Amino acid sequence: MKKNIPTIKAIALQLNISVSTVSKALNNHPAIGEQTREKVRQLAAAMHYVPNQTAIHFKSGKTHTIGVILPQLTDHFFTKALSGAEHYALQHTYNVISGQSYNHLQREKELVGFMQRSRVDGLIIALTSETESRDHLLPLEAWGIPIVYLMRTPPIKECHYVTVDVFDGAHQAVRMLLNRGHRRIAHLNGPEMLLTSRERQAGYLHALQQHQLPADPDLICHTTLSPESTRACMAQLMALPDTPTAILGFKDLVVLEAMQYVKNNAAGRRGPVDFIGFGNHEFLQFLDTPPTASIEENPFLLGSKAMEVLIQLISGGEAQRYQQVRMPCKLVNYK
Amino acid sequence: MKKNIPTIKAIALQLNISVSTVSKALNNHPAIGEQTREKVRQLAAAMHYVPNQTAIHFKSGKTHTIGVILPQLTDHFFTKALSGAEHYALQHTYNVISGQSYNHLQREKELVGFMQRSRVDGLIIALTSETESRDHLLPLEAWGIPIVYLMRTPPIKECHYVTVDVFDGAHQAVRMLLNRGHRRIAHLNGPEMLLTSRERQAGYLHALQQHQLPADPDLICHTTLSPESTRACMAQLMALPDTPTAILGFKDLVVLEAMQYVKNNAAGRRGPVDFIGFGNHEFLQFLDTPPTASIEENPFLLGSKAMEVLIQLISGGEAQRYQQVRMPCKLVNYK
DNA sequence: TTGTAGGCGTTATCAA
DNA sequence: TTGATAACGCCTACAA
């Protein structure tokens, strides 16, 4: 199967006119006669001519394309963030190319390289939980390609980012649990390395503090997000002399695993009865015994906002201050 | 923020050698001295030189990139199919660019246009449920860009496709329900337009037929996959004088909506007690009352296979017969 | 109103 | 072993 793709030159040849005339006709250049324009357009349509974007990118030095790198799309949070980013980009005639890092730094580096080679005009990235340095991203910045971090930001202040205000989310959740009478509230948090984990924890601690409750380090544990790790955390919590009565989880999936653990392993024994996680996953509605509440994050809007910030950075001319946006989240009650 | 991206020319200028020497040095061309090669490599690394892929694509006429167009990534099935396709592509040094059609023909056409302009070497596509003709795909084929349809195939024989053997999946499911004693089995199917719906139905009918059971058209309905539409179907089924005792659903989500409907609207009344859907969604494990079974499809392998077929078509030289693959599926019991 | 020429970054061919 | 040159498809300033 040999490729046979029509070019401007082929059109020019057939009509016996010059290449530049064809180019102008197709681009609605004013200095082209009505007749010629029509002739060209008709032939182009008949030949199914489609401009070669690689050539245009190459020539213009602008790809009008945004790269998006996310950990994984099996996580609804990122899927929706991607959709939001795509949506905004499309409305502003930008294209999106995306890739999944599968939470591996090595793969993230490869993807960054791919984005660089593809000469994206800007990058949105949620770092892997392995990523400690952003050395592999510095060349992009040096090139003048703006980067907006989404959710998973690097541990520095000098960057553009868009995140969810998980501090407030955790704070709201713990306040609700406190109001329901709980005094032993565990925090089944995500990987310690993630900034978003640390912010959740800060919100958790702040709520306790406001209630003049001491923080018990035994009540805080970190799951790698694997089911095994989550179960290990739960085993630890349940082994405490004074078991927690409520749990704030990193996200809904973790909470469900925790609830399952309690159901399977704590029959009869005292165990947590109230659970709250992040995400407000749509599957929760199908559960006979849903968690107490869930913290809704609106990832679609998050992605859309990230793209908005990025496109503004790209088109906004001179160096701007670091854009740092925190989107609100909302506690949704299930009981 | 002005872009400042190093090129081969910049390297050549600094080292006071020619552009072509630099190019060869970077590409390990044998006819380059060890010294020169080293000098070039070091400077390139120091300048964070990254080749301009748009230029290479442009020059070579090969992008080494595969386009993937899917309805939506919020559907785990397609997310996993995408991951599988990406995985295979990466191992064979192909890149993937993907887009979501959101099940809109218009958007699908735009994406096809984007893929064409991007000069992908091949395309994997799952058509929208709106897509009746493949006119917008013909130019690609005329260009010699192979297309592999994934799951959502066009209603013709002359195409390459990779699907799941849903006929057999439905057949297995209905056989199981029959074995459990059911004689009034409803088929809560997906959009009639989708080939995959028709194949499910054929499997359903075939199983009934093997059991010498007549097919009751009242027991077959088609949801658009929206919750409202699914509820409307359920209302219809529940209004029958002889209500179904079991339901085969288009996919797990539809089944859960159906189960919820029964729970909310049939308290006390006779209603279906066994449910089977397609997908074997990972959330099913968290349900107190899961469906009876689910039909596992392995979409990751499906996407991977589609990519394998496509890359073979791309590199395989001359026109080959139509590749048509049906992946097996497996009934997973929950009760 | 149309055509000519140059150039974007890279590689391949051929000459030095 | 290295360098000069042309070419890929398209656009644009300038010339005709």
Side-chain angles (χ1 to χ4, degrees):
Chain A
M1 194 124 107
K2 193 61 188 302
K3 281 197 209 169
N4 172 29
I5 307 184
T7 66
I8 267 188
K9 195 198 273 179
I11 299 177
L13 225 56
Q14 276 208 32
L15 292 178
N16 210 20
I17 58 180
S18 83
V19 173
S20 61
T21 305
V22 175
S23 170
K24 285 174 196 154
L26 290 174
N27 289 294
N28 271 324
H29 194 287
I32 292 292
E34 193 50 52
Q35 281 187 354
T36 319
R37 188 195 313 277
E38 248 337 285
K39 241 180 8 189
V40 171
R41 311 209 115 182
Q42 283 183 8
L43 182 58
M47 295 172 75
H48 296 292
Y49 168 78
V50 172
N52 184 336
Q53 204 68 41
T54 68
I56 295 173
H57 288 166
F58 166 54
K59 164 137 184 65
S60 66
K62 271 215 96 196
T63 59
H64 230 70
T65 298
I66 307 293
V68 177
I69 299 178
L70 301 172
Q72 45 336 23
L73 294 178
T74 41
D75 187 334
H76 260 44
F77 181 87
F78 292 118
T79 311
K80 286 179 181 160
L82 175 61
S83 299
E86 276 188 2
H87 185 80
Y88 189 94
L90 285 174
Q91 290 191 320
H92 294 74
T93 67
Y94 273 84
N95 295 307
V96 171
I97 63 182
S98 64
Q100 306 181 57
S101 65
Y102 297 103
N103 252 318
H104 293 320
L105 178 56
Q106 182 50 35
R107 175 85 189 109
E108 176 176 288
K109 285 183 179 168
E110 287 166 14
L111 282 170
V112 170
F114 171 63
M115 297 299 176
Q116 270 182 289
R117 289 192 297 280
S118 302
R119 295 292 189 268
V120 293
D121 291 335
L123 182 68
I124 292 176
I125 184 169
L127 300 174
T128 76
S129 38
E130 288 179 16
T131 307
E132 295 188 64
S133 119
R134 53 177 195 137
D135 287 353
H136 55 302
L137 292 166
L138 292 180
L140 272 176
E141 311 229 43
W143 287 3
I145 312 278
I147 299 177
V148 171
Y149 295 92
L150 183 140
M151 210 61 200
R152 307 271 194 97
T153 63
I156 51 154
K157 287 232 163 58
E158 297 74 20
C159 65
H160 310 285
Y161 66 75
V162 177
T163 60
V164 167
D165 190 352
V166 290
F167 175 95
D168 180 62
H171 188 253
Q172 281 185 57
V174 174
R175 250 186 3 219
M176 178 188 181
L177 292 172
L178 289 166
N179 286 341
R180 285 170 75 92
H182 294 285
R183 290 300 174 266
R184 296 283 293 166
I185 301 172
H187 190 193
L188 179 42
N189 203 357
E192 209 159 355
M193 190 116 63
L194 293 183
L195 188 58
T196 188
S197 297
R198 296 205 288 275
E199 290 182 355
R200 279 162 162 85
Q201 187 163 322
Y204 161 86
L205 292 173
H206 185 62
L208 293 182
Q209 198 189 354
Q210 282 188 322
H211 243 254
Q212 269 106 41
L213 268 181
D216 180 350
D218 285 344
L219 289 178
I220 298 177
C221 55
H222 297 271
T223 169
T224 65
L225 303 181
S226 77
E228 300 76 36
S229 171
T230 301
R231 278 197 294 269
C233 285
M234 285 306 293
Q236 223 175 300
L237 290 175
M238 296 294 284
L240 291 177
D242 199 2
T243 56
T245 60
I247 289 184
L248 170 65
F250 183 75
K251 59 176 182 173
D252 288 329
L253 187 60
V254 166
V255 161
L256 292 182
E257 286 163 357
M259 290 171 70
Q260 199 173 43
Y261 183 92
V262 172
K263 191 172 134 196
N264 294 340
N265 296 279
R269 287 160 48 198
R270 278 171 323 134
V273 294
D274 274 322
F275 297 83
I276 303 184
F278 282 79
N280 197 24
H281 197 290
E282 54 209 341
F283 258 82
L284 296 183
Q285 62 170 306
F286 296 114
L287 297 170
D288 290 326
T289 50
T292 314
S294 185
I295 302 152
E296 188 172 285
E297 309 175 280
N298 207 341
F300 185 94
L301 203 58
L302 181 78
S304 167
K305 186 69 187 179
M307 188 59 81
E308 181 189 332
V309 167
L310 181 58
I311 290 181
Q312 197 212 324
L313 286 168
I314 291 171
S315 41
E318 287 323 294
Q320 297 166 39
R321 312 196 30 187
Y322 290 109
Q323 302 291 314
Q324 309 189 328
V325 182
R326 256 164 231 281
M327 311 285 284
C329 48
K330 195 178 103 192
L331 195 61
V332 177
N333 228 313
Y334 276 89
K335 287 213 173 121
Chain B
M1 193 124 108
K2 192 63 185 305
K3 282 196 211 170
N4 173 29
I5 306 183
T7 65
I8 267 188
K9 195 197 274 179
I11 299 177
L13 225 55
Q14 278 208 31
L15 293 178
N16 211 19
I17 57 179
S18 83
V19 175
S20 52
T21 305
V22 175
S23 170
K24 284 174 197 153
L26 290 174
N27 289 295
N28 271 323
H29 195 286
I32 291 293
E34 194 48 53
Q35 282 187 353
T36 320
R37 189 198 312 278
E38 250 334 287
K39 245 184 2 192
V40 170
R41 310 209 117 182
Q42 282 183 10
L43 182 57
M47 293 172 77
H48 297 293
Y49 168 78
V50 172
N52 185 336
Q53 204 68 43
T54 68
I56 295 172
H57 288 166
F58 165 55
K59 168 141 181 62
S60 68
K62 269 216 99 196
T63 58
H64 229 70
T65 298
I66 307 293
V68 177
I69 300 177
L70 301 171
Q72 30 359 9
L73 294 179
T74 42
D75 186 334
H76 260 42
F77 181 88
F78 292 118
T79 311
K80 288 178 180 162
L82 175 61
S83 300
E86 276 188 2
H87 185 80
Y88 189 94
L90 286 174
Q91 291 191 319
H92 295 74
T93 67
Y94 272 84
N95 295 121
V96 171
I97 62 181
S98 64
Q100 306 181 58
S101 64
Y102 298 104
N103 252 318
H104 293 319
L105 177 56
Q106 182 50 36
R107 176 85 190 106
E108 176 176 289
K109 286 182 179 169
E110 288 166 14
L111 281 171
V112 170
F114 170 63
M115 297 299 174
Q116 272 182 287
R117 288 193 298 280
S118 303
R119 295 294 190 266
V120 293
D121 291 335
L123 183 68
I124 292 177
I125 184 169
L127 300 173
T128 76
S129 38
E130 288 179 17
T131 307
E132 295 187 65
S133 118
R134 51 175 197 140
D135 287 353
H136 54 303
L137 293 166
L138 292 180
L140 271 176
E141 311 230 42
W143 287 3
I145 312 278
I147 299 177
V148 171
Y149 295 92
L150 183 141
M151 210 62 201
R152 307 271 194 98
T153 63
I156 51 153
K157 288 229 163 61
E158 297 75 20
C159 64
H160 310 284
Y161 66 74
V162 177
T163 60
V164 167
D165 190 352
V166 291
F167 175 94
D168 180 61
H171 187 254
Q172 282 185 56
V174 174
R175 246 182 9 215
M176 177 188 181
L177 293 172
L178 288 167
N179 286 341
R180 285 171 75 91
H182 293 286
R183 290 300 174 267
R184 296 283 293 166
I185 302 171
H187 191 195
L188 179 44
N189 203 357
E192 209 160 355
M193 192 115 62
L194 294 183
L195 188 57
T196 189
S197 298
R198 295 205 289 275
E199 290 181 356
R200 280 163 162 84
Q201 187 162 323
Y204 161 87
L205 292 173
H206 185 61
L208 293 183
Q209 199 189 351
Q210 283 189 320
H211 243 254
Q212 270 105 40
L213 267 182
D216 180 350
D218 283 345
L219 288 178
I220 298 177
C221 54
H222 297 271
T223 169
T224 65
L225 303 182
S226 77
E228 301 75 37
S229 171
T230 301
R231 279 197 294 271
C233 284
M234 285 306 294
Q236 223 176 298
L237 290 175
M238 297 294 285
L240 291 176
D242 198 2
T243 55
T245 60
I247 289 183
L248 170 66
F250 182 76
K251 57 176 183 173
D252 288 329
L253 187 61
V254 166
V255 160
L256 292 182
E257 285 162 358
M259 289 171 70
Q260 197 173 45
Y261 183 92
V262 171
K263 189 173 137 196
N264 293 340
N265 295 278
R269 285 161 49 198
R270 279 171 321 135
V273 293
D274 275 321
F275 298 82
I276 302 182
F278 281 81
N280 196 24
H281 197 290
E282 54 208 342
F283 257 81
L284 296 184
Q285 61 170 305
F286 297 114
L287 297 171
D288 290 325
T289 50
T292 314
S294 185
I295 302 152
E296 190 173 283
E297 309 174 281
N298 207 339
F300 185 93
L301 203 59
L302 182 78
S304 167
K305 185 70 188 175
M307 188 59 80
E308 180 189 333
V309 167
L310 181 57
I311 289 181
Q312 197 213 324
L313 285 168
I314 291 170
S315 41
E318 288 322 294
Q320 298 167 36
R321 312 196 30 186
Y322 290 109
Q323 302 291 315
Q324 309 190 328
V325 182
R326 256 164 232 280
M327 311 285 284
C329 47
K330 192 179 105 192
L331 195 61
V332 177
N333 228 314
Y334 277 89
K335 286 211 172 123

